[in-house]
Each structure stands twice: as structure tokens, then as C-alpha cells.
Amino acid sequence: RARKKRSSGAAGKAKKRALEKTEYMSAVEAQSGMYEEAQLVRQLEMLEDLMEREQVIGRTHLARVRTCNAYGMVVDVMVTDTSQLTPLKYEFECRDEGMPSNCYVWRSALISWSVFPNALFQDIEDMEDLAKHTLHLVPPGSTFKVYAYQKEDVLLSRDLEGREVHKFLPCLKIARRPYPTLHINAAINTHPASTVPMAELLKRYSTQEELLDFFAQHGAPPSANVGTAPSQRFKYLVVIDFEATCDFAFEPVVDHTTAEILEFPWVVLDTETRKIVHSERIYVRPDNLDGITKYCTALTGISRETCAAPDAIPLTHALAKFDEFVREFLVPQGEGCFCVVTDSRWDISVQLHTEAKRKNITLSPWLKRFVDVKSEFRRIWKWFPFSAKEPPLFVMLQATGLPFVGRHHSGLDDCKTIVQLAQFMLQLGTCSTFLSFARFLLSGRRASLCCFTAAALVIA
């Protein structure tokens, strides 16, 4: 697997080097034909004036996707003049309707494929395929931040006497923090099957074949809508988002080594109906109630009275209750029929494992492997250079046009918010980790493959 990964990475770099050899002027000529010569001249004059005012190079700008071609992504770049000088006098076509007088549009700018991450080129045969793939996941109208980093000497044309006409154009790349807004129309569908609780379904239908028959009769979407064969699909996604004790002070009462889980929620999403079939929340009684500080209560909405109430239970009992649910409703359908989903590695790899080790609690196999929705987002939208801990939840919601559900930092509400993202990704038709049991085994964290050797034979 390591050799295959190295070879695929080398192939991506080779394709990228080949792109860098493409003459930049050819790309400019390919997309400059979209406008008349007089319009193009005005665009170049506007850019030169803005560069003289130092408003382009070394700055980030908002870009809006127009199209893609074999050379790269064609975008309109909104440049704001903050020089406090007299506004430039240009025709209305250098601005969009309703824009301020100090904002200008550099139309049909090119972001060359050579500046995109190597991972984008690994599974692409040619640049036409890459352009089509890009327009599917980053369609026209999508916006993000770009960075103009240097001037490029470009041969645009020749004058009447045959002399070469050169212009200096800025080079563009995706900004370090792009904050994308994807113009994707993927409304989340609803199906009657979701109104029947999971416990009731499993009482009525003892086998997965009977359940599939039930979904077929009630209008569940075909497997083609999800983008992979039924034999490769996780039947359920179990979304978990813990809330724990915390403090923000010069001498904090609790830190990451002593934090304790306060809220243990989980929400089960059916990947075929793309609807929630079960949700549950357990309030956990910590050993140290003083860890529920005023800051913690303001952030999570959880008070000491909540965790001291009779229905609050210790972490060992909460884990036992979750394991009982998994064994009763999920394991009978095959251990490989579900996976745990979180927002970041903190919930499972950091908080749960650290606290379990400190309290000598043995965790079940299904709590040792998980899918991080952040890494799944990065894997689908490879165009944007997010770091290993990015993007945060609000950026993913902004990109997909989804709202927060309920109160942010309420564990159950955050689970439902993450479910929205999973529903959105499932409808894109991409080969998602949510849908591939084999990919899940190869991308799991902090557990050996032997935990799921038997489950590999029983794929939902």
C-alpha cells in the first residue's frame, strides 16, 4: 500500500510538472477570446492601474467560478481598492451591478492547474476529465478566496508592425484559508421510511433483505443515488459529538489531561434513506463536578445541576448503554454495517481514549475506529489547501449552504449538524469513505485491523 501511495503521488507530481511546462500565454489566449478586444484592453488597463496602486499583488481576493478548461479554472476576481485614492474611471463592465465604486472585477482570470495540490491529479486521466470533475463539485457561481502572488510576463499579441505586445498579469492560487461557498443544488430528500424508529423496524424485519424490501416499498432512493454498489455501503452512520468539562482562565480548574465527558449523544443515519432513524443523549456525571465551570456552562449549556441529577450516570454506565444499543440493533446486521463518525479526532482519539485510559475503562472495538468528517470533506474537495485539522465546522456549513441545528456546542444538536453534512456528501455521488467499508479499514485510527477481520466478511 505504501509503494502504491508513493507511485500515485509521483504520478500526480509528473502531471503537475507537465502542466507547468504549458505556456501561460496559450492559456490566456484560450480564455481571452470570451470578450471583444476592446473589453480585454480595458480589463488589462484596469489591472495595470490597480497594480500601480499595490492593490493586487500580495493580497487575497474573492473569486467566483465561471468555467474550467484544459488549462485551469476560469474565475472572476473581485478586487477592492483600499488606497483611499480617487476611484478609477472605467466602464460599467468592470463592475457588477450594485458593487461599490472602489470595487472592480477582473473577468476571466485563470488559475492554472499547476498550482493545485498534487492529490487532485492522482486519479485523473486528462485535463478535460479534470475540468468536468471540477465543474461537478465546484460548479459555476461558487466563490472562494484567491491569492495574487507575482507578476507574469505574458505575450498577448502583436501590433500592426509585427512587434510583440507584452503585459504583466498577476498569477493566482487558492488562498491558504479559502472559505469556499459551493454553488451546489443538492436538496436533502425525505422518505417515509425514516418515520419508523429503528427498534420497531428490527422487530418487524429480522434480516437485511427484509429491511431492503421495506425500503423499496416506501420509496427509498436506489443505490445509484448514493454513488456506489450496495455491497460496499455502510448501512448506518453513528454520529457522536462529546461535550466535556473545560475552563478558560489564568489558572484553569480543568485542562485537557483532566477533562471529563459531560454529554454522550449519538445519532444514527441510514445511508439508504438518508434520514435519522435513532437519536439519544446521556448526561454523564463527572468525578469532579467543579470541572463544570461558568465558562463550561456558558459554552455547552450544561450545568452542575444537570450532571448531578438522578438520570445522569457515570461514564462506564454510559458506555455500557451505548454498547448495549450497538449489540441489540446494529451488530445483528453485521459489524461492518456501520461506522462511527465525528467532527475531528478530538472526540474519540483524544477525549474518550484519554479518559478511558485514566479510569481503566476498556473500550469496545467500534469505539476504536471512526471517520472524521473533516478529512472526508478535504478528500472530496481537494482543490482547497486545508491543513490536517481543517476545515472547522462553520466553514463546511458555509461551503455547503447548511445551517447549524439548534445550539452550537450542544452535543446532540452538533450531531444533527454533522448528519446534515453526511447527507449532503452522500447525495453528491462521490466514492465516499462513508460508503466504503474497505476504505474505512485502511483509514481507521488507533486500532489494529484484527478488530474487524470477521466484520470484513459481513459487509452491509
Side-chain angles (χ1 to χ4, degrees):
R1 289 196 298 271
R3 285 196 299 270
K4 184 177 180 181
K5 185 175 180 180
R6 285 196 298 270
S7 63
S8 62
K13 290 180 181 178
K15 291 179 183 178
K16 192 171 178 180
R17 283 196 297 269
L19 283 173
E20 291 171 347
K21 295 179 182 178
T22 303
E23 293 185 6
Y24 192 80
M25 56 161 285
S26 299
V28 174
E29 290 175 350
Q31 48 92 11
S32 64
M34 300 174 65
Y35 295 95
E36 297 178 1
E37 184 176 355
Q39 293 175 318
L40 183 61
V41 168
R42 282 194 292 272
Q43 288 278 310
L44 296 175
E45 289 176 351
M46 178 194 70
L47 268 178
E48 287 182 338
D49 289 342
L50 288 171
M51 285 190 287
E52 286 180 2
R53 296 186 176 194
E54 299 181 347
Q55 299 300 305
V56 182
I57 305 298
R59 289 172 174 256
T60 58
H61 311 280
L62 183 67
R64 181 178 58 227
V65 177
R66 293 183 64 94
T67 186
C68 295
N69 56 36
Y71 299 102
M73 188 183 292
V74 181
V75 297
D76 290 342
V77 181
M78 273 60 82
V79 181
T80 302
D81 183 6
T82 59
S83 63
Q84 304 298 321
L85 300 177
T86 304
L88 300 173
K89 301 297 183 181
Y90 284 102
E91 298 294 331
F92 181 76
E93 58 226 28
C94 291
R95 295 191 183 94
D96 284 346
E97 186 175 358
M99 289 182 63
S101 60
N102 66 333
C103 292
Y104 306 88
V105 182
W106 172 18
R107 300 190 188 279
S108 296
L110 183 79
I111 307 176
S112 173
W113 291 129
S114 62
V115 301
F116 285 88
N118 295 330
L120 186 60
F121 305 91
Q122 292 179 6
D123 302 321
I124 300 297
E125 295 297 329
D126 55 52
M127 294 302 102
E128 295 296 336
D129 290 341
L130 178 57
K132 293 178 182 178
H133 182 56
T134 301
L135 290 175
H136 173 59
L137 292 176
V138 191
S142 300
T143 61
F144 49 82
K145 296 284 189 177
V146 295
Y147 179 74
Y149 58 97
Q150 69 180 31
K151 297 178 181 179
E152 183 74 23
D153 185 8
V154 178
L155 172 62
L156 286 180
S157 59
R158 297 178 183 274
D159 60 16
L160 296 177
E161 298 179 1
R163 291 175 298 188
E164 295 180 347
V165 177
H166 288 259
K167 292 287 184 181
F168 286 98
L169 292 181
C171 293
L172 297 174
K173 63 181 179 180
I174 307 292
R176 175 66 184 78
R177 293 183 177 178
Y179 298 110
T181 300
L182 305 170
H183 199 259
I184 298 177
N185 182 17
I188 297 174
N189 297 322
T190 58
H191 296 277
S194 64
T195 61
V196 182
M198 177 185 291
E200 185 64 28
L201 283 179
L202 292 178
K203 288 178 183 177
R204 298 184 198 172
Y205 307 98
S206 57
T207 66
Q208 186 181 9
E209 288 73 17
E210 292 176 348
L211 278 173
L212 292 176
D213 291 341
F214 170 81
F215 291 137
Q217 294 171 8
H218 287 77
S223 60
N225 285 0
V226 186
T228 188
S231 61
Q232 297 177 332
R233 178 183 298 121
F234 283 120
K235 183 69 176 67
Y236 302 108
L237 304 181
V238 182
V239 180
I240 294 177
D241 190 88
F242 297 129
E243 299 300 329
T245 55
C246 55
D247 195 12
F248 186 76
F250 182 72
E251 294 183 355
V253 176
V254 63
D255 58 22
H256 67 281
T257 62
T258 58
E260 296 180 272
I261 293 173
L262 298 176
E263 184 181 358
F264 190 146
W266 69 89
V267 175
V268 182
L269 174 68
D270 189 316
T271 61
E272 293 186 3
T273 64
R274 297 195 294 273
K275 293 299 295 182
I276 293 173
V277 293
H278 182 86
S279 63
E280 190 169 342
R281 167 166 55 192
I282 300 173
Y283 285 112
V284 180
R285 186 186 308 119
D287 294 342
N288 180 20
L289 283 172
D290 291 337
I292 307 177
T293 60
K294 291 182 179 180
Y295 171 79
C296 178
T297 301
L299 182 68
T300 66
I302 302 172
S303 64
R304 296 184 184 181
E305 291 74 19
T306 303
C307 292
D311 57 343
I313 58 178
L315 179 61
T316 51
H317 296 177
L319 287 169
K321 200 169 181 180
F322 176 75
D323 291 342
E324 181 183 359
F325 169 83
V326 171
R327 291 191 180 96
E328 182 177 355
F329 297 125
L330 300 180
V331 171
Q333 300 184 60
E335 206 165 7
C337 79
F338 74 96
C339 71
V340 172
V341 179
T342 65
D343 174 35
S344 84
R345 301 180 63 246
W346 176 86
D347 298 86
I348 303 295
S349 292
V350 178
Q351 180 57 44
L352 181 60
H353 281 261
T354 301
E355 187 173 353
K357 184 177 180 180
R358 189 171 69 243
K359 296 181 177 180
N360 295 318
I361 301 173
T362 302
L363 298 177
S364 301
W366 40 79
L367 287 174
K368 296 180 180 180
R369 306 187 69 83
F370 63 95
V371 173
D372 180 3
V373 73
K374 293 181 189 292
S375 62
E376 184 67 8
F377 189 94
R378 291 195 305 269
R379 193 193 62 77
I380 294 176
W381 284 282
K382 300 176 184 177
W383 295 264
F384 305 112
F386 294 113
S387 68
K389 294 183 179 181
E390 293 179 329
L393 185 58
F394 80 91
V395 171
M396 293 188 285
L397 294 176
Q398 173 188 298
T400 53
L402 299 171
F404 274 105
V405 175
R407 175 196 173 104
H408 186 32
H409 291 301
S410 164
L412 185 61
D413 288 343
D414 284 353
C415 284
K416 294 177 180 178
T417 300
I418 298 167
V419 163
Q420 284 190 123
L421 287 168
Q423 290 169 320
F424 188 92
M425 295 178 190
L426 287 169
Q427 290 189 85
L428 292 178
T430 58
C431 183
S432 171
T433 305
F434 295 149
L435 306 176
S436 172
F437 183 71
R439 184 188 291 274
F440 176 68
L441 285 177
L442 296 178
S443 65
R445 304 179 187 275
R446 299 193 62 171
S448 62
L449 294 179
C450 63
C451 296
F452 282 83
T453 302
L457 303 176
V458 194
I459 301 176

